[in-house]
Amino acid sequence: MAMLTRKEYVEAQAKAAEMIRKAGIAITEEEAQNIEVVDFGLGHLAVEGAQILTFFSTARVSVKVIALFPYQTEPEHWHPSIGDDPGKEETIRVVWGTVRFYLPGEPTASSDAIPPGKESFYTVRHEVLLHPCQQLTIEPATKHWFKAGPEGAVMYSFSTCARDVMDRFSDPAVVRTPQIIEG
Ligand code: ZN
């Protein structure tokens, strides 16, 4: 399994913190150091990955900010039902940059949207382009993926209880918990 080095992790954190601040979202230095750099175990962070800062996550509500580097793609996934919980409902609101969201529906994604060689793991292809101050709500258990535009993107994620480790991904190679090589 591919892993991030500590150096790659820290550099990505710093870059994401800078983007978040440039977007006008004030964060502390401690929060900047808590930004989670996720390469989904796929070993090419710049292509498939995300930088995620959790402001809070309680048993009922979660608020995060997600920074994506230029054209970085969060792989297709869905938030399954768990017990009595129908699954995470999530509203994404773009603050800075642009993001293309992909959801079930008429396929309108351009052919270069999907990371090369990953066509079979990106199955929902209805594209919705979001600019700053635009938002959309992803219903529970609905497959989705998203990709930043040329400048990257910063967005809020407001959701019901987040259990990130329970998220399901179309690509069986995904490992949600970051693995870091020390040194
Ligand atoms: Zn999601």
Side-chain angles (χ1 to χ4, degrees), residues 74 77 79 88 90 138 144 146:
E74 166 137 351
H77 65 283
H79 308 288
K88 184 171 90 165
E90 180 175 24
I138 303 144
H144 57 283
F146 44 96

Side-chain angles (χ1 to χ4, degrees), residues 45-106:
L45 180 70
V47 179
E48 291 176 292
Q51 293 64 233
I52 304 167
L53 172 59
T54 300
F55 286 127
F56 69 89
S57 186
T58 68
R60 301 175 74 189
V61 176
S62 173
V63 175
K64 302 174 185 226
V65 60
I66 303 171
L68 295 183
F69 301 144
Y71 301 114
Q72 197 180 26
T73 302
E74 166 137 351
E76 182 175 281
H77 65 283
W78 65 100
H79 308 288
S81 63
I82 297 157
D84 293 338
D85 182 346
K88 184 171 90 165
E89 178 192 295
E90 180 175 24
T91 295
I92 295 284
R93 180 181 172 93
V94 175
V95 182
W96 186 89
T98 55
V99 187
R100 288 174 197 275
F101 254 82
Y102 298 92
L103 298 159
E106 189 199 337

Side-chain angles (χ1 to χ4, degrees), residues 157-174:
S157 160
F158 306 101
S159 76
T160 57
C161 175
R163 298 183 182 89
D164 296 342
V165 294
M166 304 299 280
D167 288 350
R168 305 283 303 278
F169 287 82
S170 298
D171 184 347
V174 164

Side-chain angles (χ1 to χ4, degrees), residues 13-46:
Q13 273 186 325
K15 205 163 134 190
E18 193 185 320
M19 289 174 69
I20 292 166
R21 286 170 171 151
K22 193 164 135 191
I25 300 171
I27 60 169
T28 66
E29 197 43 44
E30 189 183 349
E31 286 169 330
Q33 286 170 15
N34 284 334
I35 293 171
E36 189 187 9
V37 177
V38 187
D39 79 342
F40 300 97
L42 300 173
H44 54 185
L45 180 70

